[in-house]
Amino acid sequence: MKTLIAAVSAACLMLTAPLAIAADAPSDPEIAHIAYSAGVIDVEAAKLALSKTKNADVKAFAESMQKDHEAVNDMALALVKKLNVTPEDNATSQALAKAGEEKRAELGKLDGSAFDKAYVDNEVAYHKQVNGALETLLIPSAQNAELKSLLETGLKLFQGHQQHAEHVAAGLK
Amino acid sequence: MTTGLLNRRQVLVAGAAMLASTALARAHNGTVHVTIEWTNTDPFAHTATVKGGWEVTIPPGQKATHVVTADDTVEYYCRFHPNMKGHIRVVG
Ligand SMILES: [Cu+2]
């Protein structure tokens, strides 16, 4: 049994327990579910940000997150349909969803610049975590070539998101 | 006088990467008869943004163009995905 502990920045650990992704190499239906769940969490966070922020850079970032992650998830849905694969719920997806909900509840209590900073910092940490999981676990485990290729595109896109979030975070200081 | 013949340089933007990121534009008599055309085959919007300069938005599934000027020796990046980069070098 291999356990991958995703590195989460210290700032992020204050209220949320670190997410442990326990993994015997996940199957393609599980990988699809994990990737899709990770996207949904970021879309939900973006919606929360759009309902709260007054900062133009944070708003533009959140809009981009919502659109991009919805688009990738649409690609994922189209692919699983084409491959006739049913995404399978699993412990990693559930841990992600739970951590996402907790973070959303925590962010929901903040307002103004405190919210902006916490949201953007979490976006940096979250994309780092998801990118780490893609690189070390999900992409190497994917069996289907088209699924692997979609995950690789996702990784490039999310690495871009991480840099975008880092730029926005630097601008907030 | 220029015949208005535009030289098009294609840049494919796909899979969250800028392919053929180098566009070489030859200046002639101080003017540059080159248009760069980005084709975005992704379902996400990208930009070609020059820090402190111009920005072209390339909507999902669409093309966008920029007419190169003589001083357009620039690095550009995608504002939404700053790991996507390209550059233009004007020579001559
Ligand atoms: Cu982009």
Side-chain angles (χ1 to χ4, degrees), chain A residues 49-83:
Chain A
L50 290 171
S51 76
K52 285 180 98 82
T53 191
K54 305 260 190 297
N55 180 294
D57 290 339
V58 175
K59 183 166 177 280
F61 173 79
E63 279 169 352
S64 172
M65 288 312 103
Q66 182 177 1
K67 281 191 200 144
D68 281 9
H69 284 282
E70 281 177 350
V72 175
N73 273 2
D74 286 348
M75 289 167 91
L77 283 185
L79 180 62
V80 295
K81 194 169 165 215
K82 180 185 160 199
L83 299 176

Side-chain angles (χ1 to χ4, degrees), chain A residues 60 64-65 67-68 71-72 75 153 156-157 159-161 163-164 167, chain B residues 14-17 42-46 77 79-85:
Chain A
S64 172
M65 288 312 103
K67 281 191 200 144
D68 281 9
V72 175
M75 289 167 91
T153 296
K156 267 184 258 155
L157 187 75
Q159 284 169 338
H161 291 170
Q163 282 189 19
H164 188 187
H167 287 189
Chain B
D42 284 340
F44 349 103
H46 298 296
Y77 66 102
R79 194 157 46 83
F80 303 131
H81 317 103
N83 55 337
M84 302 172 67
K85 288 176 185 150

